[in-house]
């Protein structure tokens, strides 16, 4: 796969493409535009390409860093507001009668899993013969729920010889994870209330956004975005502008968010997926990085996950709680510190 950085895709390498050992596969939050994460992924690649902390030797592992926009969030790379079909999917799914519909959470998981399989198929074709590729997942926000589901489905597939994947998922990094009880979070409570009052919230807000983008000149619209987002960096401003101007992005985001409120409830994964039980099959090494006062993760939910699933006797995920006050949307202004932390986690997964 060629290295590329577009509005719909990010792909780069820390060494020779033919020598890739591990693919770091990134799954975004909602709204699922990869443009929000370009600086983070670029910085992460730089850290992984450099020497390990406390060492002068260059990293021996060659990484592929890959991420793409979620289904329904693809936009035209030339900035045209009409949108476009990305290489991995279309703006909205087509029904039998030709009308567009939008991705729910389950469909997004299938979309991401299909993309991962496609990426790894291309990667394997250029790798040395007999060398099984490794994958480390990174999920952010609802992307962590998708990552857990992909871990589960991958483990199930490896037990079926007829459909066994040709790569191993060796670890995952969950950033500001919304894996349980999202309704209990401050923002989840607000969104649930709005949805009960306005069942067609996604349609109503998308119409309002569409009218707003048609009425306001681009320069004024960007000024409004800059004011509401409190002077965001250029990549966040441009991505939000493109998101609002896209034909179905706003409705896709709210359609998916509503399904998240219904779906992300109790713990749905067995102990072998969490890695808290002894098993003969290798388990992925997991890192969970929680924020404090995260408006999408209730404090009680975070504490319960740490208490129930935190590492004990060397088993289970490594749970970390942010002490630097990083926000849930770290990808706006805190990419350097997050990239440094994640690079350390990836190296620890690689060394285990």
């Amino acid at each position: 796969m060629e290295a590329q950085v577009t509005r719909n895709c990010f792909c780069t390498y820390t060494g020779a493409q033919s020598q890739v050992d591990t693919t770091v596969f990134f799954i975004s939050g909602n709204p699922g535009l990869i443009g929000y994460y370009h600086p983070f992924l670029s910085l992460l690649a730089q850290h992984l390409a450099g020497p390990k902390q406390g060492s002068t030797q260059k990293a021996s592992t060659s990484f592929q860093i890959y991420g793409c926009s979620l289904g329904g969030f693809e936009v035209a790379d030339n900035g045209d507001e009409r949108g476009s079909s990305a290489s991995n999917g279309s703006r909205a799914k087509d029904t039998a009668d030709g009308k567009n519909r939008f991705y729910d959470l389950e469909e997004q998981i299938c979309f991401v899993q299909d993309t991962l399989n496609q990426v790894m198929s291309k990667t394997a074709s250029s790798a040395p013969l007999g060398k099984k590729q490794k994958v480390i997942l990174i999920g952010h926000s609802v992307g962590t729920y998708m990552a857990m589901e992909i871990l589960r489905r991958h483990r199930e597939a490896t037990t079926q010889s007829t459909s066994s994947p040709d790569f191993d998922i060796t670890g995952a990094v969950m950033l500001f994870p919304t894996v349980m009880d999202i309704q209990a979070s401050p923002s989840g409570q607000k969104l649930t209330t709005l949805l009960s009052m306005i069942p067609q919230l996604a349609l109503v807000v998308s119409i309002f956004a569409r009218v707003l983008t048609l009425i306001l000149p681009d320069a004024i619209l960007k000024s409004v975005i800059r004011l509401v987002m409190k002077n965001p960096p250029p990549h966040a401003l441009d991505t939000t502008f493109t998101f609002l101007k896209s034909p179905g992005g706003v409705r896709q985001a709210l359609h998916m968010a509503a399904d998240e409120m219904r779906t992300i409830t109790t713990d749905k994964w067995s102990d072998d997926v969490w890695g808290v039980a002894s098993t003969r099959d290798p388990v992925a090494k997991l890192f969970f990085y929680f924020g404090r006062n995260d408006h999408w993760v209730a404090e009680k939910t975070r504490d319960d996950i740490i208490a129930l699933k935190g590492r004990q006797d060397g088993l289970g995920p490594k749970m970390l709680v942010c002490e630097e006050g990083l926000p849930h949307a770290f990808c706006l202004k805190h990419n350097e510190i997050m990239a440094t932390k994640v690079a350390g986690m990836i190296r620890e997964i690689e060394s285990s």
Side-chain angles (χ1 to χ4, degrees):
M1 179 170 291
E2 294 182 1
Q4 57 180 307
V5 179
T6 71
R7 292 189 177 189
N8 297 311
C9 182
F10 182 100
C11 182
T12 192
Y13 299 87
T14 64
Q17 184 175 345
S18 60
Q19 297 300 315
V20 167
D21 300 302
T22 302
T23 293
V24 177
F25 186 87
F26 182 81
I27 309 170
S28 77
N30 184 10
L33 287 84
I34 199 64
Y36 283 117
Y37 301 94
H38 281 170
F40 166 72
L41 294 173
S42 296
L43 289 164
L44 177 61
Q46 291 176 26
H47 285 300
L48 291 175
K52 297 180 181 180
Q53 189 172 7
S55 171
T56 58
Q57 294 183 346
K58 192 175 181 180
S60 57
T61 300
S62 178
F63 292 95
Q64 174 181 218
I65 316 291
Y66 181 89
C68 70
S69 294
L70 297 179
F73 290 100
E74 302 93 341
V75 295
D77 280 328
N78 62 5
D80 188 327
E81 66 173 277
R82 291 172 298 179
S84 70
S85 293
S87 60
N88 297 313
S90 60
R91 178 181 61 82
K93 298 172 73 68
D94 292 328
T95 58
D97 59 7
K99 295 181 179 180
N100 287 334
R101 63 185 178 90
F102 297 87
Y103 290 75
D104 60 24
L105 188 51
E106 171 60 26
E107 290 167 329
Q108 288 289 9
I109 294 167
C110 294
F111 176 90
V112 172
Q113 189 169 30
D114 287 346
T115 302
L116 173 61
N117 290 336
Q118 292 172 24
V119 169
M120 295 313 299
S121 177
K122 293 178 181 178
T123 302
S125 66
S126 60
L129 290 176
K131 187 174 185 179
K132 194 168 187 180
Q133 291 292 301
K134 296 182 292 184
V135 170
I136 296 175
L137 302 174
I138 303 177
H140 173 229
S141 192
V142 70
T144 63
Y145 181 92
M146 292 188 238
M148 289 294 287
E149 267 298 290
I150 288 171
L151 272 172
R152 178 184 68 80
R153 298 174 192 199
H154 183 86
R155 284 188 65 82
E156 290 177 354
T158 58
T159 64
Q160 304 170 9
S161 58
T162 57
S163 60
S164 180
D166 57 358
F167 59 90
D168 292 324
I169 299 179
T170 58
V173 177
M174 312 297 190
L175 304 177
F176 303 90
T178 56
V179 293
M180 289 169 54
D181 298 327
I182 194 171
Q183 281 191 0
S185 68
S187 290
Q189 293 179 33
K190 293 175 184 176
L191 180 56
T192 300
T193 300
L194 278 173
L195 288 168
S196 67
M197 296 170 58
I198 312 173
Q200 296 297 321
L201 181 66
L203 177 60
V204 171
V205 175
S206 66
I207 291 173
F208 174 78
R210 190 63 176 165
V211 171
L212 193 67
T213 57
L214 289 174
I215 292 176
L216 296 180
D218 289 355
I220 295 179
L221 179 59
K222 286 190 174 183
S223 296
V224 172
I225 296 171
R226 191 177 290 110
L227 179 64
V228 172
M229 295 183 69
K230 300 179 181 179
N231 197 29
H235 81 279
L237 174 63
D238 292 343
T239 302
T240 303
F241 174 79
T242 303
F243 167 59
L244 292 175
K245 295 277 284 186
S246 65
V250 173
R251 188 172 179 182
Q252 171 61 66
L254 287 168
H255 175 84
M256 182 176 163
D259 194 49
E260 292 171 34
M261 298 302 109
R262 294 186 293 266
T263 304
I264 303 176
T265 53
T266 57
D267 179 13
K268 298 177 179 178
W269 303 288
S270 60
D271 285 350
D272 62 330
V273 175
W274 284 98
V276 298
S278 297
T279 175
R280 288 184 301 176
D281 298 323
V283 296
K285 187 168 186 177
L286 308 184
F287 282 83
F288 278 70
Y289 190 87
F290 292 95
R292 291 197 182 276
N293 302 311
D294 187 335
H295 60 100
W296 282 113
V297 181
E299 299 285 288
K300 183 179 185 303
T301 300
R302 180 198 67 204
D303 294 342
D304 287 347
I305 293 173
I306 292 173
L308 294 172
K309 303 297 183 182
R311 183 171 297 180
Q312 298 178 5
D313 300 325
L315 297 175
K318 188 171 183 178
M319 305 284 188
L320 305 169
V321 180
C322 179
E323 300 297 343
E324 290 90 350
L326 300 185
H328 186 90
F330 74 87
C331 56
L332 300 183
K333 298 181 179 179
H334 300 84
N335 291 293
E336 175 60 47
I337 186 171
M338 202 72 254
T340 302
K341 289 178 180 292
V342 172
M345 297 175 200
I346 289 174
R347 285 197 168 116
E348 189 169 335
I349 292 170
E350 281 286 290
S351 63
S352 60

